[in-house]
Amino acid sequence: MPDPALLLDAEDWKKWAEYPATNEPYILLFTLSYSPEMVEYGKRLAQEAGMKLIVLGMIQPDCKDGSYLPVTDAGPREFLGYIAKARMVITDSFHGTVFSIITGANNFYTYIAPANERGNRILDLLDTFGLRDHLLPVNLKTGYTELNTRKIDHSLLKQIMKKEQMKGQEFLNRYIKP
């Protein structure tokens, strides 16, 4: 059974999205908990790319040096909008990865920390969509230029998503009877 988020089409999710007001290109960093190491990596990528960095997460310190824009008050609608509009998403979250796929984010990468015991769920998702090369190495040394050369075939992702939706619908039809 695929993750339930995959059961709706991208257009359905995008109807709910509230997009950020900025027209500047940005890299979005979304982590489940504040990680100084990930923020430093995001800052380096943004600097290399000549873009701003937006760090999305409720728990994070103020950014006193202005090196990134912290967003601590985003709800689900804003979450979708920030992901969909980003030039690149960096996340350690399963659902950050799912919604990067669903919304057709320009590019994204997922990080699985060595201590993460639930990383197999992310690996299975990346394998399903043929995106294992969008897994960040643990050392966080890969630069923006190299990451940006790994393009995503969004038309192929849509085809795979349709197959996953069919699997989910078959599962629901089999086990949930009216």
Side-chain angles (χ1 to χ4, degrees):
M1 169 76 183
D3 187 83
L6 294 169
L7 296 179
L8 293 177
D9 288 325
E11 292 72 31
D12 294 322
W13 284 111
K14 287 180 179 180
K15 287 179 199 171
W16 288 96
E18 287 187 22
Y19 297 91
T22 184
N23 287 322
E24 283 182 68
Y26 62 88
I27 294 174
L28 178 69
L29 174 64
F30 172 68
T31 56
L32 293 175
S33 60
Y34 180 75
S35 165
E37 178 183 49
M38 290 295 288
V39 170
E40 287 304 314
Y41 182 63
K43 286 168 41 176
R44 184 168 59 92
L45 292 177
Q47 184 178 20
E48 287 175 27
M51 290 186 238
K52 78 173 156 181
L53 175 66
I54 296 176
V55 178
L56 185 62
M58 293 178 64
I59 301 171
Q60 58 180 298
D62 288 335
C63 177
K64 297 189 187 321
D65 65 1
S67 59
Y68 64 90
L69 173 65
V71 176
T72 58
D73 60 351
R77 297 172 78 118
E78 292 85 4
F79 171 77
L80 291 170
Y82 274 107
I83 288 175
K85 198 171 179 182
R87 287 283 173 93
M88 183 176 286
V89 176
I90 304 295
T91 186
D92 65 357
S93 156
F94 175 82
H95 283 100
T97 305
V98 166
F99 285 108
S100 292
I101 292 169
I102 291 172
T103 64
N106 185 55
N107 207 340
F108 75 91
Y109 286 89
T110 304
Y111 176 74
I112 301 174
N116 183 340
E117 295 176 8
R118 297 173 45 153
N120 285 338
R121 186 174 183 210
I122 292 171
L123 293 175
D124 289 346
L125 177 69
L126 292 173
D127 287 343
T128 296
F129 284 90
L131 293 169
R132 182 64 84 104
D133 64 337
H134 285 260
L135 182 66
L136 284 173
V138 175
N139 66 14
L140 296 176
K141 299 256 187 241
T142 311
Y144 178 81
T145 302
E146 183 179 340
L147 294 178
N148 201 41
T149 61
R150 298 180 202 161
K151 301 298 181 192
I152 296 174
D153 183 345
H154 292 285
S155 62
L156 178 60
L157 294 189
K158 286 180 184 178
Q159 292 173 17
I160 295 169
M161 193 156 141
K162 286 289 180 204
K163 289 178 185 175
E164 292 300 299
Q165 288 172 336
M166 289 174 53
K167 286 182 196 174
Q169 193 61 51
E170 288 171 7
F171 177 87
L172 292 173
N173 289 340
R174 188 175 326 127
Y175 294 105
I176 300 177
K177 308 256 186 215

